[in-house]
Amino acid sequence: MVKDMSKKIKIVTFGVFDYFHYGHLKLFEQCKQYGNYLIVGVQDDAEILKRKPNHHIFYNTNQRIEIIKNLRLVDEVFVSKQVELDISKIDFDVLALGEDQNHDGFIFAIEWCNKNNKKIVYLKRTQGISSTLIKENLGKK
């Protein structure tokens, strides 16, 4: 938890943030418990499609960036190509990971943080909401 608010403590988190929802907002609120300057990496469309070629992207990268940067909780937003490449280019103190962020890029980022004295926090999902559930419900209409 953040104790001394006079020092800027930068926390970074990564995500797609398509179908932006209440769970994403709660994620950002949790992040602010560990830092007072929130940096959000929004994954680029092309990178999403590399990992999931059949994925339907609802909002493009620029639209998702615009949504995120207009939230009061967020201080800085950038386009994330690959977390394993981006992690060493960001000035931050704390890496915040969601429970489902466990692919190879995040494993590399965790190792990088451990080697470079960066704190890592694991955040809980908001029960009852996810982008997958939203997509499934929209498919039922």
Side-chain angles (χ1 to χ4, degrees):
M1 296 292 189
V2 176
K3 304 253 188 307
D4 181 5
M5 294 305 281
S6 63
K7 180 181 182 252
K8 189 183 282 189
I9 300 169
K10 296 179 179 181
I11 185 163
V12 65
T13 194
F14 295 84
V16 174
F17 306 112
D18 202 11
Y19 296 86
F20 188 81
H21 56 73
Y22 183 69
H24 292 134
L25 181 65
K26 299 312 281 181
L27 170 83
F28 296 156
E29 287 178 355
Q30 285 183 74
C31 286
K32 284 290 188 132
Q33 293 176 13
Y34 298 95
N36 52 16
Y37 187 89
L38 178 57
I39 304 165
V40 178
V42 175
Q43 192 170 31
D44 183 63
D45 293 345
E47 296 301 322
I48 295 167
L49 295 174
K50 278 184 191 176
R51 291 187 196 273
K52 299 177 183 178
N54 297 321
H55 185 81
H56 175 262
I57 299 169
F58 189 70
Y59 293 115
N60 68 40
T61 304
N62 291 333
Q63 290 168 324
R64 289 181 282 122
I65 292 273
E66 185 176 349
I67 290 166
I68 303 302
K69 81 175 177 182
N70 279 289
L71 298 171
R72 281 184 278 198
L73 289 166
V74 177
D75 299 290
E76 187 178 329
V77 184
F78 69 96
V79 176
S80 175
K81 297 289 183 180
Q82 296 176 14
V83 67
E84 61 270 28
L85 301 177
D86 297 332
I87 196 75
S88 64
K89 299 174 187 171
I90 306 162
D91 176 23
F92 73 99
D93 304 294
V94 181
L95 171 63
L97 296 173
E99 292 175 305
D100 60 344
Q101 292 178 310
N102 56 13
H103 67 65
D104 291 345
F106 287 107
I107 292 168
F108 178 89
I110 291 165
E111 291 170 0
W112 186 92
C113 287
N114 287 331
K115 289 176 186 170
N116 290 277
N117 299 316
K118 303 293 184 180
K119 183 176 179 179
I120 302 166
V121 295
Y122 296 91
L123 306 177
K124 295 286 183 192
R125 292 185 72 92
T126 302
Q127 294 298 312
I129 186 73
S130 73
S131 297
T132 302
L133 284 173
I134 291 170
K135 290 175 192 176
E136 288 172 0
N137 286 330
L138 289 173
K140 293 180 183 176
K141 285 189 172 186

